[in-house]
């Protein structure tokens, strides 16, 4: 294994609309175990941001603690980053977002970081509909501390030492739906084709976007009997739909058979094109999406794809009616509108 990244780039590498090649979106060389699902997700994030021509300095990466939470070091070196305390990423993201609404907030967490120590913070960031992407790299164990079962390990699943998990799993996607999440998707680290358009759609969603991505831990939870191993997940994934993400400027030209395609227009003019596979499921209907998720779970299947989206989502800034500008752009005149405005306000309170 080499720890030095080559700086050679093929001169014919394609460039995005900003003139950058994909390496501009990479991060440091990964120190995760070879084959770790988290690295595949990092590669999908790099690809999605490159394809969308995002200016890296417009992204703020946030995470907690864990192998998953180390991931932001491995993508978007040219972005802002904040590695918080274990389970505390949501409160830091909330503060940063309220101070500067102009950035894209990209949170990365693990199932331990989110579903155990961070649960209290997670539920509140969902119900507040903070405008951010919250990606859980879900491997059903605490990888960084050597593979203890996490709260998302399925009941009956076996860990590497052969111990059977006795407790019910917390299903983060269902929980988020229950709490009123406005964008919920699931995927598998080994399915880049599905993950990249989901990431793009999540970054364009105005509000909280949960991505629960099954990401096997090859070192501590990839054994027979685990329900988060590569083999188990490959055999039990069921996709709701294949999807494309169509940016605003691009004309939608392809046409598909009526009934099999669903174009979802997003708040910013972009489009999610769904090629429906699952029957009896409507991603715009919370009850239908929840039913589909429960049905899949009862069969031991992992439903992937965009599960639910609320296109009328109103984020925390709208709810709180905050200023349109980031706080550091407010000038004296914005902050102090003068004595006549103050007199008027006082009069209204008398
Ligand atoms: C306050 C505190 N408690 C416990 C720990 C120990 N610890 C570090 S990472 C971790 C869990 C990581 O699991 P997960 O979030 O699933 O990430 P993974 O490593 O599996 O990607 C724990 C318990 C800590 N760092 N800080
Ligand atoms: S211990 Fe597991 S989660 Fe951590 S880097 Fe290794 S394979 Fe990935």
């Amino acid at each position: 294994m080499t720890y030095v990244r080559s700086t050679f780039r093929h001169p014919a590498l394609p460039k995005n609309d900003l003139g950058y090649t994909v390496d501009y979106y990479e991060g440091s060389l990964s120190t995760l175990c070879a084959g770790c699902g988290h690295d595949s997700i990092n590669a999908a994030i790099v690809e999605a941001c490159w394809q969308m021509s995002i200016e890296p300095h417009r992204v703020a990466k946030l995470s907690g603690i864990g192998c998953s939470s180390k991931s932001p070091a491995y993508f978007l070196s040219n972005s802002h980053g904040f590695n918080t305390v274990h389970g505390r990423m949501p409160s830091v993201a909330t503060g940063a977002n309220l101070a500067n609404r102009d950035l894209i907030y990209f949170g990365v967490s693990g199932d331990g970081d989110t579903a155990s120590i961070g649960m209290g913070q997670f539920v509140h960031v969902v119900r507040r509909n903070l405008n951010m992407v919250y990606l859980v790299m879900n491997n059903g164990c605490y990888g960084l501390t050597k593979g203890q079962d996490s709260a998302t390990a399925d009941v009956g699943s076996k860990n590497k030492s052969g111990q059977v998990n006795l407790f019910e799993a917390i299903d983060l996607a269902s929980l988020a739906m229950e709490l009123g999440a406005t964008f919920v998707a699931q995927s598998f680290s080994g399915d880049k084709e599905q993950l990249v358009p989901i990431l793009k759609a999540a970054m364009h969603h105005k509000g909280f976007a949960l991505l629960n991505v099954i990401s096997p831990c090859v070192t501590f939870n990839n054994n027979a009997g685990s329900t988060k191993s590569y083999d188990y997940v490959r055999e039990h994934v069921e996709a709701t739909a294949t999807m494309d993400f169509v940016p605003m400027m691009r004309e939608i030209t392809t046409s598909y058979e009526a009934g099999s395609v669903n174009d979802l227009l997003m708040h910013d003019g972009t489009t999610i094109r769904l090629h429906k596979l699952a029957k009896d499921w409507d991603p715009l209907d919370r009850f239908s999406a929840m039913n589909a998720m429960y049905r899949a779970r009862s069969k031991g299947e992992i439903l992937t794809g965009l599960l639910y989206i609320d296109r009328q989502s109103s984020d925390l800034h709208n709810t709180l009616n905050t200023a349109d500008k980031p706080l550091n752009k407010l000038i004296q005149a914005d902050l102090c509108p003068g004595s006549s405005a103050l007199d008027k306000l006082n009069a209204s309170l008398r």
Side-chain angles (χ1 to χ4, degrees):
M1 192 179 217
T2 170
Y3 292 95
V4 181
R5 193 196 288 280
S6 162
T7 51
F8 172 78
R9 294 290 177 269
H10 196 283
L13 266 185
K15 293 186 173 152
N16 65 11
D17 293 345
L18 297 175
Y20 296 130
T21 50
V22 73
D23 53 299
Y24 191 66
Y25 292 81
E26 288 171 351
S28 319
L29 202 65
S30 173
T31 58
L32 303 180
C33 309
C36 176
H38 301 353
D39 268 338
S40 310
I41 302 173
N42 297 335
I45 296 169
V46 168
E47 181 69 25
C49 292
W50 174 73
Q51 283 186 18
M52 284 199 300
S53 297
I54 285 179
E55 291 167 297
H57 71 271
R58 289 205 46 243
V59 179
K61 310 171 287 182
L62 299 119
S63 63
I65 298 289
C67 299
S68 33
S69 293
K70 283 166 69 179
S71 281
Y74 311 135
F75 60 84
L76 300 183
S77 296
N78 299 302
S79 299
H80 309 276
F82 199 121
N83 191 204
T84 72
V85 185
H86 201 12
R88 269 55 171 185
M89 176 259 280
S91 51
V92 175
T94 305
N97 189 312
L98 285 176
N100 186 350
R101 63 192 297 163
D102 279 358
L103 298 179
I104 297 167
Y105 290 90
F106 199 107
V108 177
S109 181
D111 40 298
D113 193 63
T114 292
S116 287
I117 196 167
M119 185 55 107
Q121 299 224 344
F122 174 69
V123 292
H124 292 287
V125 77
V126 179
R127 65 185 266 278
R128 286 176 181 153
N129 203 22
L130 188 73
N131 190 14
M132 74 177 296
V133 178
Y134 190 111
L135 192 156
V136 181
M137 299 183 170
N138 189 345
N139 54 18
C141 74
Y142 297 170
L144 191 71
T145 51
K146 303 212 178 305
Q148 301 87 347
D149 282 344
S150 79
T152 67
D154 290 306
V155 63
S157 108
K158 247 188 217 167
N159 66 19
K160 197 180 176 183
S161 57
Q163 228 170 1
V164 175
N165 176 39
L166 304 174
F167 305 108
E168 274 299 330
I170 292 173
D171 179 358
L172 291 170
S174 304
L175 177 67
M177 292 286 285
E178 193 66 42
L179 293 162
T182 54
F183 184 113
V184 178
Q186 293 199 130
S187 193
F188 168 44
S189 60
D191 189 352
K192 199 171 174 186
E193 221 173 286
Q194 183 189 60
L195 197 46
V196 170
I198 287 179
L199 282 162
K200 293 196 275 191
M203 280 191 261
H204 275 267
H205 177 68
K206 188 168 184 182
F208 188 82
L210 174 71
L211 309 188
N212 181 36
V213 184
I214 308 299
S215 176
C217 168
V218 282
T219 304
F220 296 112
N221 202 14
N222 198 32
N223 47 287
S226 160
T227 57
K228 299 279 191 292
S229 66
Y230 277 111
D231 284 349
Y232 183 93
V233 179
R234 280 200 193 102
E235 280 161 23
H236 292 83
V237 282
E238 199 204 325
T240 52
T242 57
M243 66 185 265
D244 304 325
F245 180 79
V246 188
M248 193 165 42
M249 298 78 80
R250 207 160 298 158
E251 195 191 352
I252 303 172
T253 49
T254 5
S255 71
Y256 293 85
E257 241 178 77
S260 65
V261 165
N262 199 352
D263 278 339
L264 308 178
L265 188 66
M266 306 271 276
H267 67 93
D268 60 356
T270 56
T271 302
I272 297 172
R273 165 158 285 179
L274 293 171
H275 311 246
K276 273 182 78 168
L277 300 173
K279 292 191 191 87
D280 309 323
W281 158 77
D282 175 2
L284 300 176
D285 178 347
R286 190 178 289 277
F287 299 109
S288 158
M290 283 174 97
N291 275 339
M293 289 159 73
Y294 287 130
R295 255 199 312 273
R297 249 186 106 185
S298 68
K299 290 191 277 177
E301 281 165 358
I302 303 149
L303 199 60
T304 63
L306 174 64
L307 306 180
Y308 175 72
I309 183 168
D310 174 356
R311 289 176 302 160
Q312 268 75 53
S313 166
S314 165
D315 83 330
L316 186 60
H317 281 284
N318 279 346
T319 310
L320 298 180
N321 196 19
T322 56
D324 291 340
K325 291 188 212 163
L327 299 189
N328 65 0
K329 296 228 172 91
L330 295 177
I331 54 168
Q332 173 88 18
D334 298 318
L335 297 170
C336 181
S339 54
S340 62
L342 186 62
D343 290 345
K344 220 163 123 190
L345 180 68
N346 282 337
S348 74
L349 298 172
R350 277 190 196 111

